[in-house]
Each structure stands twice: as structure tokens, then as C-alpha cells.
Amino acid sequence: MSDQAVATLGQDLVQVEHLTKYFPVRAGLMQRIVNWVKAVDDVSFTVKKGETLGLVGESGCGKTTVGRSMLRLIEPTSGSVQFDGKDVLKLRGGDLKRVRRDMQIIFQDPYASLDPRVPIGESVMEGLHIHNIGSPKERFEMMLDTLKKVGLEDYHARRYPHEFSGGQRQRIGIARALALRPKFIVCDEPVSALDVSIQSQVLNILNDLQAEFGLTYLFVAHNLSVVEHISTRVAVMYLGKIVELTGREELYRNPLHPYTKALMTAIPVPNPKLKRQRTILKGDVPSPLNPPKGCRFHPRCPVAEKICGEQEPEFREAQPGHFVACWMVK
């Protein structure tokens, strides 16, 4: 989708404001809390109806925690998640159950998310049972229709997870998320464990389903080539914070944050005769137990100055529709 097409998208479906998730570190005989892992620290963004927002960054930067906190698969420490005008973090009981029908997730490891003792047809129908949708016959027909949407056949419904390949299991994971016909799906690295040829098939399925059902995606990934293929806008995370957010074409054409620029140089070039000038970052990612003062990227930043280690940069709109948190971007 081009930057011009971004402007034609619907209004905000999801609004995440100041989302924070700290995990306690316990020690000693009494297991007292001695520190906190700052996995997600004051993250804010929106997801528009019908778009795919890519969320990228190195392993351990907090991408998956953001997605799971939005769905309350893990309880956030603070912040708000507005979905279709409702604050998901304040809902309880039946109200939360109704909203969860519209917010689903595709897990990174499809085998671990499937019950090995249950035929996959039953797994796909589980959500329909929980939400009491249709009669038993109607649920069965809806399950078969959903399997066909992801490229599987009727006879697959009677088979067990171990009888499928990795790509087929990921299709089952997509079918489980799709069965309730949700409005919003968190795709938690759905192709990272698949072969390249299978990755393209799964991505095409996600694109086709989005076009057919008007789905909205948060696509979590660390592969920038995959994100470029499927995303409308892209948010870049580093050590629990979003450092840059803009339209896909704008980000790949004009990255502003030094961390984003370094990531871009790591994308493989398909022509073996061409060589890209790599930006090699020095040192390791700091620990989220004790993140650096000021800009969290400054210990590894090739252009950092004194202010970067003293004050945290504001996440601001540096150019129209292009947000960045960096003192060096004027």
C-alpha cells in the first residue's frame, strides 16, 4: 500500500496510550521484588481500520509483549488500550469476553499453541463454542469454510497437529484466529519459523483475508523484508520504546533514526554483485533491568552527542506523518 493510500484508510480502530509492562525480578528466601524488567515503557501508537501496522526491532525489544498486553493475555502495568471506543484494560467479565471476540492473535509457534490431543477441526471450532455462535451443525460448516479460506481441505479437520507441516500448522493458527471473524488480529511473528517459500504463501493468505474481511493487523516481526511486503505503516522499537513510526514507503526511503538506518543496512540485497554499506553497531543491547539514562540507543549510536546521554528525546512529528525520538533529527 502506498503512502497516498494510507490517507484513505478508516479512522483509528485501536489507540494505545502510555502502555507499560514491567516484570518483577524476585530474589531471596521470601522472594521479594528486587528489580523490574522494563519490557515495554510508555509506548503510544494507533492502528487504523483496515491497515497493517508493522512492529519491528531486535529480539527482546518488547514487540511481543506489546501485542499480548493489548489483548490482555498478560496484564499491563499501566496505560490504556482503546478498541472501537472501549478501554480494554478496564473491561471485566462478559464485556471483556465480547471484546475478545473481535481481537484475536496468531502465535509465533503454531505447534505449541495447538492441543496435540485434539483434531484441528475441534481447535478451530473452540472459539465458536466459547462464544456460543450458531448450532453444532452451523459451527461445523463455519469451521470447514474457514479451513478452505486458508488453503486447507475438509479432510484435514479430522487430523491432529503432528500430522501437518510447519506451514500447514501456521495456516491452522490463522484459521483459529479467523473463525470468529474478528476486526483486529495481532500477528506475532507468524512467518519467522517458516521456510522462505512458505513465508510468501502465508503472507499472501493474510493479504487476501484482509482484503476479503476488512481485517486490521498488528504485524510483529524482526525481518524488515517481510514487514516491507505486508505493512501499511511501520513502528520501530528499541529496548521497550518506539523510536520511529511512519508510512512504509517513507520509512524505507527516508529513515531518520540512527537505529532504523542501521537496521536498513542489514537487509540482504537480492543481487549478489551488489554490496550494501553496512552500519555495524558497537556493543550489545543494554539490559531492560537497567536501561541507559537519556536516549536508550545512545551507547551504541554512531552520531550520539552529550545531550543524548542526559535527556530522553521526545517522540515527535519531525516531518508530516513521520514520528521519531532522536535529538539528532532536526
Side-chain angles (χ1 to χ4, degrees), residues 217-228:
Y217 295 142
L218 175 70
F219 192 90
V220 176
H222 61 263
N223 188 327
L224 285 165
S225 299
V226 170
V227 171
E228 183 179 16

Side-chain angles (χ1 to χ4, degrees), residues 36-319:
W36 296 90
V37 176
K38 300 175 177 63
V40 177
D41 199 1
D42 195 18
V43 165
S44 300
F45 60 90
T46 62
V47 188
K48 299 180 182 297
K49 287 184 178 179
E51 82 164 336
T52 299
L53 176 65
L55 188 60
V56 302
E58 293 173 284
S59 296
C61 71
K63 308 183 298 297
T64 293
T65 304
V66 167
R68 297 193 176 202
S69 297
M70 290 171 65
L71 303 184
R72 287 183 65 181
L73 296 180
I74 54 176
E75 288 291 334
T77 303
S78 63
S80 70
V81 178
Q82 297 281 338
F83 173 76
D84 223 3
K86 302 173 184 175
D87 191 343
V88 178
L89 306 188
K90 293 182 179 179
L91 297 178
R92 297 291 184 272
D95 293 334
L96 178 60
K97 182 179 178 180
R98 282 187 286 273
V99 166
R100 277 183 163 163
R101 176 178 174 178
D102 291 326
M103 303 176 75
Q104 293 292 304
I105 185 170
I106 302 169
F107 293 99
Q108 178 179 358
D109 185 350
Y111 190 69
S113 64
L114 293 171
D115 189 335
R117 302 165 298 177
V118 176
I120 64 105
E122 292 293 328
S123 293
V124 174
M125 284 193 292
E126 184 177 9
L128 302 175
H129 286 296
I130 291 172
H131 291 273
N132 198 27
I133 298 173
S135 65
K137 182 178 179 181
E138 289 171 335
R139 293 170 192 161
F140 186 77
E141 293 297 327
M142 292 170 69
M143 177 270 293
L144 294 180
D145 178 65
T146 303
L147 289 180
K148 290 179 181 178
K149 296 288 186 187
V150 299
L152 297 174
E153 300 297 333
D154 292 357
Y155 61 84
H156 286 132
R158 299 186 297 272
R159 295 185 177 178
Y160 290 83
H162 71 272
E163 299 180 78
F164 294 91
S165 67
Q168 287 175 319
R169 283 197 289 263
Q170 195 56 278
R171 291 170 190 252
I172 297 166
I174 295 172
R176 290 181 71 193
L178 183 66
L180 292 170
R181 299 297 186 263
K183 298 178 182 178
F184 175 67
I185 298 178
V186 174
C187 305
D188 183 13
E189 303 206 35
V191 298
S192 62
L194 305 178
D195 293 337
V196 175
S197 59
I198 307 300
Q199 286 184 11
S200 61
Q201 295 176 18
V202 172
L203 292 175
N204 289 336
I205 288 173
L206 291 173
N207 278 328
D208 292 343
L209 294 174
Q210 184 176 45
E212 182 175 353
F213 296 104
L215 298 173
T216 303
Y217 295 142
L218 175 70
F219 192 90
V220 176
H222 61 263
N223 188 327
L224 285 165
S225 299
V226 170
V227 171
E228 183 179 16
H229 175 75
I230 196 171
S231 297
T232 312
R233 293 184 301 143
V234 181
V236 181
M237 279 195 76
Y238 182 81
L239 205 60
K241 286 186 174 289
I242 292 180
V243 297
E244 188 164 1
L245 190 156
T246 188
R248 177 195 62 190
E249 292 183 1
E250 171 66 13
L251 185 80
Y252 284 81
R253 180 179 64 242
N254 181 34
L256 298 180
H257 198 280
Y259 177 62
T260 309
K261 292 179 180 179
L263 290 180
M264 293 298 178
T265 66
I267 299 176
V269 179
N271 188 341
K273 295 182 180 180
L274 298 178
K275 290 187 177 181
R276 176 174 278 151
Q277 185 65 38
R278 285 288 309 275
T279 299
I280 306 297
L281 299 177
K282 298 179 181 179
D284 297 323
V285 180
S287 170
L289 281 168
N290 186 27
K293 184 182 177 183
C295 174
R296 296 190 174 188
F297 184 60
H298 87 266
R300 306 175 69 198
C301 182
V303 296
E305 296 186 2
K306 184 178 179 181
I307 190 175
C308 302
E310 297 174 348
Q311 300 180 35
E312 184 175 334
E314 178 188 3
F315 189 67
R316 59 187 175 83
E317 190 172 18
Q319 298 176 5

